[in-house]
Amino acid sequence: MTGTAGTRLAEFWPLFGLSIRTPRLILTPVRDDQLPGLVDAILAGVHDRSVMPFGVPWTDAPRDILIRGSLKYQWSLRAALSPEDWTISFAVQHEGRIIGVQDLSARSFALLRRVSTGSWLTLEAQGRGLGKEMRSAVLSFAFDHLGAHSAVSDAAVWNAASLGVSAALGYQPNGTTLAEARPGEVREQQQLLLAREDFRRPEWTAAVEGVEAVQPILAGA
């Protein structure tokens, strides 16, 4: 979305004017013109099919249902967004191509000042430190621009890659839960908590644009 049309739409829906830039990535709330690239990234594969890293096994859906479901999910996030309950699904762009999604969510943020994160990357993009970079980006945004006090996340106990990113950023174990990853398949889930003062910040500073316009929507300010 570029030019006058993109600028005007950001006036009506300020999230479309939000962007976070890191040394290698650009994160923007998913726009309709990015949906084809997002679908391509999903179809390229985001995890080993023998395991299910997500709490909801959405990647197991047949191709056509997976595509439609992914589009419906993105549209539903916009429709449901309010200061009391919101999720921003950031498209993660690397070298001009969407390689994944980084979600940032909160409930009663103005009171609790806590955010939650979740993400996925294409298999091709994994193992290069990009997952850590994109989570650092949204944590910096939440702590420094929205005034969050803490962040939570979780991962399957076998998911060493995700847990390694969390540990590197300063998260601490916060108990475990049990989940049904796939029908009839029980999985232990590690809960994680990060206090703002424990955030292990990257050497770079995220460049954030459009935050003033989204603060009333996200923080009720």
Side-chain angles (χ1 to χ4, degrees), residues 155-160 163 176-177 187-190:
V157 294
W158 55 258
N159 195 339
L163 293 173
T176 61
T177 60
R187 180 179 71 198
E188 188 176 8
Q189 199 82 349
Q190 177 66 60

Side-chain angles (χ1 to χ4, degrees), residues 127-167:
R128 299 159 60 186
L130 296 173
K132 180 181 178 182
E133 189 167 328
M134 66 199 220
R135 199 178 337 166
S136 293
V138 295
L139 289 173
S140 297
F141 168 63
F143 289 142
D144 299 339
H145 297 275
L146 296 182
H149 295 166
S150 62
V152 293
S153 188
D154 66 350
V157 294
W158 55 258
N159 195 339
S162 179
L163 293 173
V165 168
S166 297

Side-chain angles (χ1 to χ4, degrees), residues 2 6 17 32 54 59 68 87 96 101 108 111 120 124 134 155 166 174 176 179 192 194 217:
T2 58
D32 280 0
F54 306 121
T59 51
R68 290 196 298 271
T87 295
V101 162
S108 301
L111 175 65
W120 59 263
E124 181 184 2
M134 66 199 220
S166 297
N174 192 37
T176 61
L192 300 153
L194 175 65
I217 299 174

